[in-house]
Amino acid sequence: MNQRETLLIELRTEELPPKSLNLLGETFANGIFKALQEENFLSEKSEFRSFATPRRLGVTISHVAFQQPDKQIERKGPSVAAGLDASGKPSQALLGFAKSCNVGIDKLEQALDDKGKSCYVYRYTQPGESLHGVTTEIIRSVLSKLPVAKVMRWGMGATTFVRPVHGLIMMCGDTHLQGHGSGVLGLHQNHGDTLGHRFMGKGKVKISHATKYEELLETEGYVIANFARRREIISVALQEKSGKAIIAQDDALLDEVTALVEYPAVYAGEFSPEFLEVPQECLILSMKQHQKYFPLLDKNGKLLPRFLMVSNIKTDKPENIIHGNERVLRARLADAKFFFEKDRKQPLDFRVLGLSKVVYHNKLGTQGDRVQRVQAIARAIGQQLGGEALATQADQAALLAKADLLTDMVGEFPELQGIMGRYYAQHDGMSDDIAFAIEDHYKPRFAGDELPRNMVGICVALADKLETLVGMFNIGQIPTGDKDPFALRRHALGVTRILVEAELPLDIDWLLKTASKLFGFINIANIEVHLAYNNVVLADFIFERLAYNLREQGYSAQEVEAIVGLRPQRLSNVPKRLAAVRVFVALPEAAALAAANKRVGNILRKAFIEAGEGAVIGKLLQEPAEQALHQALIKIAPKANAAFAAGDYTASLQALAALKEPVDAFFDNVMVNADDAALRANRLALLAQLHQAMNRVADISRLAA
């Protein structure tokens, strides 16, 4: 019986990238497990446990066989008819097949091939490979597929990996596996020796059995090897040390500090309350980004002069660790305080002229040029939404929106752009409408982010995103595949979210044309044609982002296509249209009408007829069914259109239910493609009117099964 044991593989390295450590560990462990599973070394009971610390990747897998099961191999050869010549002797085809199998003809058998015809086959048992023979190659293969952005080369060799490697353990139970070839990344078996904590460990840790790996590393090496367990220990300790305060929680930071320590301990530190005069966003960012600390907040969300740190050394006397970290943080916060006080000595509007010296893009001019375009777009949007008063505020906010890019604080912390602009605008005596618009014009910055807080911010945010989209599309910087260096997908999603969620009465085409007029300086022949074409491409891009967002919200692909396929100009109406579609789909007539609408659309496309094209001539309506459909349209279409014009999309679609019977009767009794050209044209015109009436709210043909 094939013996099964727990397999241990550990690759010991120099410090791995903390932000990708967890992914590296999971990918490594999962890759080893799947490879062994594919090679039939595992059983149904097999489970794996991944390990990732700053200086190692590892995995243990239970119930691993030392040898693959034997395989029953069947090679098929020529047919029985082709295997013998006219005299009944073996043909050259049969002799060649036997030779390729390295056996005599007497070892061949007859069986049915895939087509049910008799053929010669050779059956034999192939012994399974040993775990010793495949482990090295499996590890090499998995390492080559790890998500590593950049690799390093060390020493005089050609070996590359994310970091230099120092040790390799391959154990199954208490047996050390002897890999084949040149080893893994130039390494061979370490015979169970690994290293513990750099300061707290006892030097080498001897792993006596694969199942003892995690336990021995922790008890003798002071290393908690499992990433998830280490993360949980840190999370619990943070909560215990925070007391009644609220931790400025950050999952990415928690992952990062977990990747930086092997035996975590959490300590609390303090800083001088005088630094609280600086905007807390600056202090929090400095603590998190530079020092990897966890700031503490009171119940109102205000920063407290306390913080938590995660140390890689656990001691009963942590005073030196705490005081050392407090000294480092004090210097960081002093820098932030200095930047803040210095920046406030110069008003924001004094910095605007400096933007003309900052290159935005070599084909789109400077940040100053960009600000002028955003101003013009924001003013036009403000005029549409709130008249001259809103237009003036939007213009002023757009003028100042990028000014904080030239401040020392944003130079040190680019993540604070907009936020610092708001603080400096308030210090300069600007109204909250203007100040909040400066901060909010970057919103929504990511999926789920909030929209700008006021209409001024909405105008500037929309203008800023449109300027970026139109500018980049017109110089050919269109996202392809997974490449989107200017985050244009995020900008397009932001445009759709603002238009939909803020319920803005603005047309997509008007917005794009308004923004496009400001890029006339681009040196391209026939600029109007160029801009018009790119606006169509950009509109498609925006509708794609809208469709993606709607599907993410839980709408079906059919529902989304029914609405987005019509390219509605007012995106603010899209939610109401979707709600109407859901009501319509529940009607008993919906399926038949959707199928009929699809049929009508196909007929019109083949005849090159547009929806609504041509007038219906009453005297040419000869068949009772086409007369009935015409009368039904005369009666029902005005009701549906009136409901549509009033924004009652549900009622507009529900009115169409009465068309089911006359539409069914028409297709049952009327030949559209009549031989008489006049009759055919009249019937196509009738269908074109039907198609127009049925597809104002949604393209209901997309709802057909």
Side-chain angles (χ1 to χ4, degrees):
M1 184 176 179
N2 197 355
Q3 183 185 358
R4 291 185 181 272
E5 278 282 7
T6 294
L7 173 70
L8 163 65
I9 295 172
E10 183 205 66
L11 184 69
R12 191 160 48 79
T13 70
E14 292 187 10
E15 273 72 7
L16 293 161
K19 291 186 178 179
S20 58
L21 178 64
N22 190 31
L23 178 61
L24 288 172
E26 289 179 350
T27 306
F28 177 75
N30 196 49
I32 299 290
F33 183 85
K34 285 186 174 179
L36 289 171
Q37 195 173 48
E38 290 170 1
E39 295 292 334
N40 292 320
F41 281 98
L42 305 185
S43 76
E44 293 180 356
K45 297 179 181 179
S46 295
E47 296 178 342
F48 73 90
R49 186 166 173 81
S50 68
F51 305 103
T53 77
R55 298 185 295 151
R56 81 194 73 231
L57 298 175
V59 59
T60 57
I61 304 173
S62 66
H63 300 90
V64 179
F66 278 87
Q67 185 150 351
Q68 289 174 323
D70 294 343
K71 295 180 182 178
Q72 300 300 315
I73 307 298
E74 181 180 274
R75 289 186 59 186
K76 292 181 180 178
S79 66
V80 172
L84 301 174
D85 61 19
S87 61
K89 294 181 179 180
S91 67
Q92 288 299 316
L94 184 59
L95 291 171
F97 174 64
K99 185 178 181 180
S100 70
C101 296
N102 202 27
V103 296
I105 293 176
D106 59 314
K107 298 295 184 183
L108 302 180
E109 302 175 35
Q110 293 186 13
L112 297 179
D113 63 14
D114 296 337
K115 296 180 181 179
K117 295 182 178 180
S118 295
C119 68
Y120 286 96
V121 299
Y122 173 55
R123 297 187 176 99
Y124 65 97
T125 300
Q126 178 179 295
E129 285 197 68
S130 73
L131 190 61
H132 293 267
V134 303
T135 305
T136 300
E137 190 54 44
I138 284 175
I139 298 173
R140 285 192 199 128
S141 175
V142 170
L143 291 177
S144 70
K145 298 172 184 175
L146 289 184
V148 175
K150 289 185 178 181
V151 295
M152 296 178 65
R153 180 179 285 113
W154 58 94
M156 299 298 292
T159 303
T160 60
F161 191 52
V162 60
R163 292 291 185 270
V165 296
H166 294 294
L168 173 68
I169 297 176
M170 300 185 298
M171 292 180 69
C172 196
D174 57 4
T175 303
H176 300 290
L177 302 179
Q178 302 304 317
H180 295 173
S182 59
V184 176
L185 301 176
L187 297 173
H188 289 280
Q189 173 68 257
N190 273 39
H191 298 292
D193 289 341
T194 188
L195 289 179
H197 195 284
R198 199 182 291 274
F199 308 112
M200 300 172 65
K202 301 175 182 178
K204 286 186 178 180
V205 177
K206 186 75 173 179
I207 308 300
S208 58
H209 195 282
T211 56
K212 298 287 187 180
Y213 174 72
E214 189 172 3
E215 176 189 342
L216 289 171
L217 257 184
E218 183 171 351
T219 56
E220 295 185 17
Y222 289 90
V223 173
I224 298 172
N226 180 259
F227 187 96
R229 181 164 171 257
R230 207 163 62 248
R231 189 182 192 274
E232 180 62 21
I233 289 171
I234 294 171
S235 182
V236 170
L238 286 170
Q239 293 298 331
E240 290 175 352
K241 288 286 184 179
S242 64
K244 294 183 179 180
I246 299 169
I247 302 171
Q249 193 64 293
D250 186 321
D251 287 341
L253 177 59
L254 183 55
D255 286 340
E256 190 173 358
V257 297
T258 303
L260 288 169
V261 299
E262 293 179 322
Y263 202 75
V266 175
Y267 305 117
E270 299 179 349
F271 60 88
S272 174
E274 69 174 296
F275 292 118
L276 296 178
E277 298 172 8
V278 180
Q280 70 178 47
E281 292 92 341
C282 308
L283 305 181
I284 290 172
L285 189 60
S286 182
M287 282 188 267
K288 286 184 174 182
Q289 183 172 294
H290 288 157
Q291 303 307 128
K292 315 305 176 190
Y293 298 155
F294 290 84
L296 295 175
L297 312 174
D298 65 17
K299 63 181 181 180
N300 297 315
K302 296 295 183 182
L303 183 65
L304 297 170
R306 297 168 50 213
F307 64 96
L308 300 177
M309 68 194 82
V310 180
S311 173
N312 197 29
I313 298 177
K314 193 169 187 177
T315 175
D316 294 332
K317 297 180 179 180
E319 292 80 8
N320 289 339
I321 296 174
I322 295 171
H323 293 157
N325 280 275
E326 287 176 341
R327 281 197 304 273
V328 173
L329 180 60
R330 189 181 306 119
R332 288 288 189 188
L333 299 188
D335 287 344
K337 188 171 186 290
F338 172 76
F339 291 146
F340 182 60
E341 292 174 347
K342 182 183 175 185
D343 286 341
R344 290 194 299 175
K345 292 177 181 178
Q346 186 178 41
L348 265 185
D349 54 5
F350 279 30
R351 300 179 187 273
V352 173
L353 289 177
L355 293 171
S356 62
K357 300 176 183 178
V358 179
V359 175
Y360 168 49
H361 191 284
N362 63 347
K363 293 183 179 180
L364 296 174
T366 66
Q367 286 284 5
D369 297 325
R370 184 187 184 197
V371 165
Q372 291 179 15
R373 293 192 292 268
V374 174
Q375 273 186 275
I377 300 168
R379 170 173 274 280
I381 292 172
Q383 192 74 47
Q384 287 286 316
L385 297 178
E388 187 60 29
L390 181 57
T392 301
Q393 285 185 303
D395 181 277
Q396 185 180 11
L399 175 68
L400 301 174
K402 305 295 182 184
D404 67 349
L405 295 177
L406 299 182
T407 63
D408 289 338
M409 187 68 84
V410 173
E412 181 73 9
F413 300 108
E415 299 88 344
L416 294 176
Q417 56 188 287
I419 294 172
M420 296 315 302
R422 186 252 295 180
Y423 278 108
Y424 296 144
Q426 289 173 327
H427 178 263
D428 295 343
M430 301 286 180
S431 69
D432 281 349
D433 282 346
I434 300 295
F436 286 133
I438 292 171
E439 177 179 355
D440 292 352
H441 86 280
Y442 291 104
K443 297 178 181 179
R445 297 157 295 183
F446 50 83
D449 191 20
E450 61 186 8
L451 297 188
R453 282 165 278 193
N454 57 45
M455 288 304 296
V456 182
I458 282 173
C459 292
V460 183
L462 196 52
D464 183 65
K465 290 166 179 57
L466 286 167
E467 191 278 338
T468 301
L469 288 165
V470 172
M472 291 302 172
F473 266 68
N474 277 298
I475 60 172
Q477 294 292 339
I478 301 174
T480 56
D482 59 350
K483 294 182 179 179
D484 187 10
F486 298 101
L488 300 186
R489 292 187 178 95
R490 188 187 71 200
H491 281 80
L493 183 58
V495 168
T496 64
R497 281 195 57 202
I498 290 172
L499 291 172
V500 172
E501 294 174 31
E503 299 182 356
L504 302 184
L506 300 172
D507 290 356
I508 285 288
D509 285 350
W510 178 84
L511 288 167
L512 297 183
K513 288 176 183 176
T514 299
S516 296
K517 293 175 183 177
L518 303 168
F519 288 87
F521 67 88
I522 302 174
N523 187 20
I524 297 174
N526 206 349
I527 187 67
E528 290 186 7
V529 173
H530 172 81
L531 292 174
Y533 171 77
N534 278 296
N535 281 351
V536 172
V537 176
L538 177 52
D540 289 341
F541 181 73
I542 290 173
F543 280 114
E544 286 174 8
R545 290 294 91 197
L546 172 65
Y548 169 83
N549 189 34
L550 293 173
R551 289 193 296 269
E552 287 290 297
Q553 293 177 38
Y555 292 101
S556 71
Q558 284 181 313
E559 291 171 334
V560 172
E561 289 170 6
I563 303 300
V564 177
L566 291 182
R567 294 170 64 92
Q569 286 297 299
R570 293 281 175 93
L571 299 193
S572 56
N573 295 331
V574 166
K576 291 171 69 175
R577 290 186 183 224
L578 283 165
V581 164
R582 286 194 165 176
V583 173
F584 174 76
V585 169
L587 296 175
E589 299 88 353
L593 285 172
N597 190 52
K598 186 175 183 179
R599 184 176 178 182
V600 170
N602 291 335
I603 292 171
L604 295 177
R605 271 191 295 274
K606 289 179 181 178
F608 300 101
I609 302 293
E610 296 291 334
E613 185 176 313
V616 177
I617 301 173
K619 66 181 181 180
L620 292 178
L621 297 171
Q622 296 183 348
E623 300 291 339
E626 61 182 328
Q627 294 170 356
L629 178 58
H630 186 235
Q631 290 301 313
L633 271 177
I634 292 173
K635 180 181 178 182
I636 294 166
K639 293 180 181 178
N641 292 340
F644 179 86
D648 191 347
Y649 303 125
T650 300
S652 183
L653 278 179
Q654 285 178 319
L656 300 176
L659 289 173
K660 179 185 180 299
E661 290 187 11
V663 168
D664 288 346
F666 178 87
F667 282 118
D668 287 342
N669 300 292
V670 178
M671 174 67 69
V672 176
N673 291 319
D675 293 334
D676 188 301
L679 288 179
R680 182 170 64 253
N682 201 51
R683 288 168 182 172
L684 287 171
L686 179 62
L687 290 182
Q689 288 189 6
L690 173 66
H691 196 259
Q692 183 183 49
M694 295 176 75
N695 292 284
R696 296 204 67 183
V697 174
D699 180 357
I700 62 174
S701 67
R702 304 292 182 99
L703 304 174

